[in-house]
Amino acid sequence: MRAHNFSAGPCTLPVSVLEEAQAEFVDFHGAGASLIEMSHRGPQYLAVHDEALALARSVAQAPDEFEVLFVGGGATMQFGMIPMNLLHPGEKAGIALTGSWSKKAYSDGVHHGALYSAFDGGPDYTATPTTDQLQIEDDTKYLHVCSNETIGGIRFPTLPDLGVPLVVDMSSEYLARPIPWDIVDVVFGGVQKNLGPAGMAIVYVRKSVIERAPANLASALRYQVYANKNSMYNTPPVFTIWMTGKVLKWIESQGGTVGLERAAAAKADAVYGAIDESDGFFRSPVATADRSHTNVVFRLPTGELEQQFLAEAVELGMVGLEGHFSVGGLRASMYAALPEESVWTLVDHMTSFKERS
Ligand code: PMP
């Protein structure tokens, strides 16, 4: 019996992928060893690696001007790698501060390049900026935005097109919205939500941007090295890449980014519907137009009711509904592989809990 898994990441993955991996795990296609026990330079792993890279390109519909890179270390490492690779001394970039993850990108990134705040939605971070709220300085190399703030539960309904190339952290809605390739230089995200187990980021980066990266970077921190070496300069996170390839194939079968976007919107509508129809019993703290499709943050009238709601949810087989420890409250993270049935289980619980309270 699988739980209704609302965890924010790592999170639920398609059962078909887990079962396929289980069947292949101990003896990979008759090789007498698991794939994770073999050389990453051997033919079995190379085929898996190349297929996963090709799927990461095709599912995202990334054009030829972009490299597709598998980089160990998660999305957090990109907070440093991006300014390292994109900014030379004296160059600057803006960042829209919309919540925890863009703030972290800023505090890490300033060690490696001149980042400035182009918008600060604090202290509450309940809305993303409109284009005219973004203050872009002259000679800005890029604007960093977090398309969906996983903790605060806000999302850019449209990515800002201001004539400045975007660097977009899409971790918590990765490949669940089409990427506007014309206006981005870098798209990145950890894979451990929509795409696979933890352990790496997929980074889409414009070729012309990494060609001009500063020379003084260690190999593992240089995008061009990943591009030249097929994301295999050093030992890649083989298990994560293997599983991510399977999930990408599953995403393809779900209609790719357009299919995932539609499914995410439907799940989000169901839960926001339950909030909006509760006469204020459930409250969403975020601006309606900027509501996240994947991380629905909500509150109940009191902390006691929130605890009771969570305890009953666990009884009903739902896990991961507590809000991030930094903000409290509740959060339903509904990534690509979360079945609709889990969403309806949550909505039923919300409706019945409100009626009984
Ligand atoms: N950005 C966003 C939007 C995230 O949600 C997260 C993780 N929850 C991160 C960055 C950091 O990712 P990682 O843990 O892979 O470093």
Side-chain angles (χ1 to χ4, degrees):
M1 170 69 176
R2 302 255 305 158
H4 298 295
N5 185 350
F6 293 91
S7 299
C11 59
T12 190
L13 291 173
V15 186
S16 60
V17 165
L18 299 177
E19 286 174 347
E20 199 178 285
Q22 186 179 42
E24 291 175 354
F25 192 70
V26 175
D27 183 2
F28 186 75
H29 298 298
S34 178
L35 189 70
I36 63 169
E37 299 174 301
M38 295 179 198
S39 168
H40 60 290
R41 311 267 174 213
Q44 291 97 335
Y45 178 73
L46 276 181
V48 166
H49 186 89
D50 289 344
E51 186 182 25
L53 273 173
L55 282 161
R57 180 179 289 284
S58 62
V59 172
Q61 298 187 296
D64 289 346
E65 304 88 89
F66 283 78
E67 298 284 2
V68 182
L69 311 176
F70 290 161
V71 184
T76 301
M77 203 163 83
Q78 298 309 310
F79 296 162
M81 270 181 87
I82 290 165
M84 277 181 200
N85 281 267
L86 269 60
L87 296 177
H88 286 259
E91 294 179 342
K92 67 183 167 193
I95 183 159
L97 302 177
T98 49
S100 303
W101 293 110
S102 46
K103 285 199 288 180
K104 284 195 170 159
Y106 179 77
S107 55
D108 267 1
V110 286
H111 297 297
H112 303 287
L115 292 190
Y116 68 88
S117 161
F119 169 80
D120 190 342
D124 295 332
Y125 299 100
T126 52
T128 58
T130 55
T131 44
D132 49 350
Q133 287 175 308
L134 286 161
Q135 307 286 320
I136 307 295
E137 298 178 7
D138 289 345
D139 301 322
T140 294
K141 283 286 167 191
Y142 65 83
L143 173 67
H144 176 122
V145 296
C146 178
S147 71
N148 183 75
E149 287 279 2
T150 319
I151 295 175
I154 57 170
R155 171 183 195 259
F156 278 85
T158 310
L159 294 174
D161 182 1
L162 289 161
V164 179
L166 297 181
V167 163
V168 191
D169 178 355
M170 295 190 91
S171 298
S172 45
E173 55 173 8
Y174 218 2
L175 303 188
R177 72 192 286 176
I179 296 167
W181 294 106
D182 289 350
I183 62 170
V184 303
D185 271 357
V186 180
V187 171
F188 73 100
V191 293
Q192 70 275 22
K193 300 171 197 295
N194 277 344
L195 308 183
M200 70 169 189
I202 299 181
V203 184
Y204 299 92
V205 57
R206 194 178 284 279
K207 289 176 180 168
S208 57
V209 164
I210 56 171
E211 280 161 7
R212 67 179 286 282
N216 60 338
L217 293 178
S219 321
L221 297 173
R222 174 184 286 280
Y223 290 133
Q224 194 67 61
V225 170
Y226 287 82
N228 293 347
K229 301 288 183 184
N230 200 33
S231 296
M232 285 247 280
Y233 174 72
N234 67 330
T235 319
V238 292
F239 180 74
T240 296
I241 291 170
W242 180 23
M243 292 304 113
T244 300
K246 289 184 186 299
V247 178
L248 286 166
K249 212 180 281 176
W250 176 84
I251 291 175
E252 204 174 45
S253 77
Q254 304 295 304
T257 55
V258 172
L260 254 51
E261 184 180 45
R262 201 181 304 120
K267 290 174 191 170
D269 274 355
V271 180
Y272 289 119
I275 293 172
D276 292 343
E277 286 157 23
S278 72
D279 300 321
F281 183 77
F282 297 106
R283 278 175 299 116
S284 159
V286 311
T288 307
D290 298 341
R291 286 172 162 181
S292 169
H293 289 187
T294 38
N295 309 102
V296 179
V297 170
F298 60 102
R299 309 286 325 210
L300 274 70
T302 65
E304 291 80 60
L305 283 170
E306 287 176 346
Q307 290 312 313
Q308 197 185 331
F309 181 87
L310 278 173
E312 289 186 19
V314 169
E315 292 293 309
L316 293 165
M318 290 177 269
V319 298
L321 282 168
E322 55 286 344
H324 191 263
F325 62 85
S326 62
V327 292
L330 293 106
R331 173 176 56 168
S333 293
M334 302 185 292
Y335 296 119
L338 184 79
E340 260 183 43
E341 185 205 337
S342 298
V343 179
W344 291 118
T345 305
L346 172 61
V347 168
D348 286 348
H349 178 41
M350 291 171 77
T351 312
S352 121
F353 190 84
K354 191 225 151 191
E355 277 166 12
R356 286 181 282 115
S357 298

